[in-house]
Coordinates of all heavy atoms in Angstrom, one line a residue:
I1 N 14.7 -13.0 -5.3 CA 13.7 -12.1 -5.9 C 12.8 -11.6 -4.9 O 12.1 -12.4 -4.2 CB 13.0 -12.6 -7.1 CG1 13.9 -12.9 -8.3 CG2 11.9 -11.7 -7.5 CD1 13.3 -13.5 -9.5
I2 N 12.8 -10.2 -4.6 CA 11.9 -9.6 -3.7 C 10.8 -9.0 -4.5 O 11.0 -8.2 -5.4 CB 12.5 -8.6 -2.8 CG1 13.9 -9.1 -2.3 CG2 11.7 -8.1 -1.8 CD1 13.7 -10.3 -1.3
A3 N 9.5 -9.4 -4.3 CA 8.4 -8.8 -5.0 C 7.5 -8.1 -4.1 O 7.3 -8.4 -2.9 CB 7.6 -10.0 -5.7
Q4 N 6.8 -7.0 -4.6 CA 5.8 -6.3 -3.9 C 4.5 -6.6 -4.5 O 4.3 -6.4 -5.7 CB 6.0 -4.8 -4.0 CG 5.2 -3.9 -3.0 CD 3.9 -3.5 -3.7 OE1 3.8 -3.3 -4.8 NE2 2.8 -3.4 -2.9
M5 N 3.6 -7.1 -3.7 CA 2.2 -7.6 -4.3 C 1.1 -6.7 -3.5 O 1.3 -6.3 -2.4 CB 2.0 -9.1 -3.9 CG 3.1 -9.9 -4.5 SD 3.1 -11.6 -4.0 CE 1.6 -12.2 -4.7
G6 N 0.0 -6.6 -4.2 CA -1.1 -5.9 -3.6 C -2.3 -5.9 -4.6 O -2.1 -6.2 -5.8
I7 N -3.4 -5.3 -4.2 CA -4.5 -5.2 -5.1 C -4.2 -4.0 -6.0 O -3.3 -3.2 -5.8 CB -5.8 -4.9 -4.3 CG1 -5.8 -3.6 -3.5 CG2 -6.1 -6.1 -3.4 CD1 -7.1 -3.2 -3.0
T8 N -4.9 -3.9 -7.1 CA -4.7 -2.8 -8.1 C -5.5 -1.7 -7.7 O -6.6 -1.4 -8.2 CB -5.1 -3.4 -9.5 OG1 -6.5 -3.9 -9.5 CG2 -4.2 -4.4 -10.0
D9 N -4.9 -0.8 -6.9 CA -5.5 0.4 -6.4 C -4.5 1.4 -6.1 O -3.5 1.3 -5.4 CB -6.3 0.1 -5.0 CG -7.2 1.2 -4.7 OD1 -6.8 2.4 -4.7 OD2 -8.4 0.9 -4.3
M10 N -4.6 2.6 -6.9 CA -3.5 3.6 -6.9 C -3.5 4.3 -5.5 O -2.5 5.0 -5.2 CB -3.7 4.6 -7.9 CG -3.3 4.1 -9.3 SD -1.5 3.5 -9.3 CE -0.7 5.0 -8.9
R11 N -4.5 4.1 -4.7 CA -4.4 4.8 -3.3 C -3.3 4.2 -2.5 O -2.8 4.9 -1.6 CB -5.8 4.5 -2.6 CG -7.0 5.4 -3.2 CD -8.2 5.2 -2.6 NE -8.8 3.8 -2.8 CZ -9.8 3.3 -2.3 NH1 -10.6 4.0 -1.5 NH2 -10.2 2.0 -2.6
L12 N -3.0 2.9 -2.8 CA -1.8 2.3 -2.0 C -0.5 3.0 -2.2 O 0.2 3.5 -1.3 CB -1.8 0.8 -2.2 CG -2.9 0.0 -1.6 CD1 -2.8 -1.5 -2.1 CD2 -2.9 0.1 -0.1
P13 N -0.1 3.1 -3.5 CA 1.3 3.8 -3.7 C 1.2 5.4 -3.4 O 2.2 5.9 -2.9 CB 1.6 3.6 -5.2 CG 0.3 3.2 -5.8 CD -0.5 2.5 -4.7
I14 N 0.0 5.9 -3.5 CA 0.0 7.4 -3.2 C 0.1 7.4 -1.6 O 0.8 8.4 -1.1 CB -1.4 7.9 -3.6 CG1 -1.5 8.0 -5.1 CG2 -1.7 9.3 -3.0 CD1 -2.9 8.2 -5.8
Q15 N -0.6 6.6 -0.9 CA -0.5 6.8 0.6 C 0.8 6.4 1.1 O 1.3 7.1 2.1 CB -1.5 5.7 1.2 CG -1.5 5.7 2.7 CD -2.6 4.9 3.4 OE1 -3.7 5.2 3.1 NE2 -2.2 3.9 4.2
Y16 N 1.6 5.5 0.4 CA 2.9 5.1 0.8 C 3.8 6.4 0.6 O 4.6 6.6 1.6 CB 3.4 4.0 -0.1 CG 4.8 3.5 0.1 CD1 5.3 2.7 1.2 CD2 5.9 4.2 -0.7 CE1 6.6 2.4 1.4 CE2 7.2 3.8 -0.5 CZ 7.6 2.9 0.6 OH 8.8 2.6 0.8
A17 N 3.6 7.1 -0.4 CA 4.4 8.3 -0.6 C 4.2 9.4 0.4 O 5.0 10.1 0.9 CB 4.3 8.9 -2.0
F18 N 2.9 9.6 0.7 CA 2.5 10.5 1.7 C 2.9 10.1 3.1 O 3.4 11.0 3.9 CB 0.9 10.7 1.7 CG 0.4 11.5 0.6 CD1 -1.0 11.5 0.4 CD2 1.2 12.2 -0.2 CE1 -1.6 12.3 -0.7 CE2 0.6 13.0 -1.3 CZ -0.7 13.0 -1.5
A19 N 2.9 8.9 3.4 CA 3.2 8.4 4.7 C 4.7 8.2 5.0 O 5.2 8.3 6.1 CB 2.5 7.2 5.1
Y20 N 5.5 8.0 4.0 CA 6.9 7.6 4.0 C 7.7 8.5 5.0 O 7.6 9.7 5.0 CB 7.5 7.7 2.6 CG 8.9 7.1 2.6 CD1 9.2 5.8 2.5 CD2 10.0 8.1 2.7 CE1 10.5 5.3 2.5 CE2 11.3 7.6 2.6 CZ 11.6 6.2 2.5 OH 12.9 5.7 2.5
P21 N 8.5 7.9 5.9 CA 8.9 6.4 5.9 C 8.0 5.6 6.8 O 8.3 4.5 7.1 CB 10.2 6.5 6.5 CG 10.1 7.6 7.5 CD 9.3 8.7 6.9
D22 N 6.8 6.2 7.3 CA 5.9 5.4 8.1 C 4.9 4.6 7.2 O 4.8 4.8 6.0 CB 5.1 6.3 9.0 CG 6.0 7.1 9.9 OD1 7.0 6.5 10.4 OD2 5.7 8.2 10.3
R23 N 4.1 3.7 7.8 CA 3.0 3.1 7.1 C 1.7 3.3 7.9 O 1.8 3.2 9.1 CB 3.3 1.6 6.9 CG 4.3 1.2 5.8 CD 4.3 -0.2 5.6 NE 5.4 -0.6 4.6 CZ 5.3 -0.7 3.3 NH1 4.1 -0.5 2.8 NH2 6.3 -1.0 2.5
W24 N 0.6 3.5 7.1 CA -0.7 3.7 7.8 C -1.7 2.6 7.3 O -1.5 2.0 6.3 CB -1.2 5.1 7.4 CG -0.4 6.3 7.7 CD1 0.5 6.4 8.5 CD2 -0.5 7.5 7.0 NE1 1.1 7.7 8.6 CE2 0.5 8.4 7.6 CE3 -1.2 8.1 5.8 CZ2 0.7 9.7 7.2 CZ3 -1.0 9.4 5.4 CH2 -0.1 10.2 6.1
D25 N -2.7 2.5 8.1 CA -3.8 1.7 7.7 C -4.3 2.2 6.3 O -4.3 3.4 6.2 CB -4.9 1.6 8.7 CG -4.5 0.9 10.0 OD1 -3.5 0.1 9.9 OD2 -5.1 1.2 11.0
A26 N -4.9 1.3 5.5 CA -5.3 1.7 4.1 C -6.8 1.5 3.9 O -7.2 0.4 4.4 CB -4.5 1.0 3.0
P27 N -7.5 2.4 3.3 CA -8.9 2.2 3.0 C -9.2 1.3 1.8 O -10.1 1.6 1.0 CB -9.4 3.7 2.7 CG -8.2 4.2 2.0 CD -7.0 3.6 2.6
V28 N -8.5 0.2 1.7 CA -8.7 -0.7 0.6 C -8.8 -2.2 1.1 O -8.3 -2.4 2.3 CB -7.6 -0.6 -0.3 CG1 -7.5 0.8 -1.0 CG2 -6.2 -1.0 0.2
P29 N -9.3 -3.0 0.4 CA -9.4 -4.5 0.8 C -8.0 -5.1 0.7 O -7.1 -4.6 -0.1 CB -10.3 -5.2 -0.3 CG -10.9 -4.1 -1.0 CD -10.1 -2.9 -0.9
F30 N -7.7 -6.0 1.6 CA -6.4 -6.7 1.6 C -6.4 -7.7 0.5 O -7.4 -8.3 0.1 CB -6.1 -7.3 2.9 CG -5.7 -6.4 4.0 CD1 -5.7 -5.0 3.8 CD2 -5.1 -6.8 5.2 CE1 -5.4 -4.1 4.8 CE2 -4.7 -5.9 6.2 CZ -4.9 -4.5 6.0
L31 N -5.2 -8.1 0.0 CA -5.1 -9.1 -1.0 C -5.3 -10.6 -0.4 O -4.6 -10.8 0.6 CB -3.7 -9.0 -1.6 CG -3.3 -10.0 -2.7 CD1 -4.2 -9.8 -3.9 CD2 -1.8 -9.9 -3.1
D32 N -6.2 -11.3 -1.0 CA -6.4 -12.6 -0.5 C -5.7 -13.6 -1.5 O -6.2 -13.8 -2.5 CB -8.0 -12.9 -0.5 CG -8.3 -14.2 0.1 OD1 -7.4 -15.0 0.3 OD2 -9.5 -14.6 0.2
L33 N -4.6 -14.1 -1.0 CA -3.9 -15.0 -1.9 C -4.5 -16.3 -2.2 O -4.2 -17.0 -3.2 CB -2.4 -15.3 -1.2 CG -1.5 -14.1 -1.0 CD1 -0.3 -14.5 -0.3 CD2 -1.1 -13.6 -2.5

């Protein structure tokens, strides 16, 4: 099972769609497991 995890902030999926297929630094806190 492959899971995608992250904080609950819609800026992350929005930025992913804008940047795709690249990835950019994000203006959100990182998930602290």
Side-chain angles (χ1 to χ4, degrees):
I1 293 179
I2 311 298
Q4 190 270 329
M5 305 169 67
I7 64 169
T8 54
D9 193 315
M10 282 306 298
R11 289 176 294 178
L12 288 173
I14 292 167
Q15 179 174 299
Y16 177 84
F18 283 168
Y20 186 81
D22 299 326
R23 286 189 185 265
W24 302 336
D25 292 338
V28 298
F30 284 11
L31 178 64
D32 184 353
L33 291 174

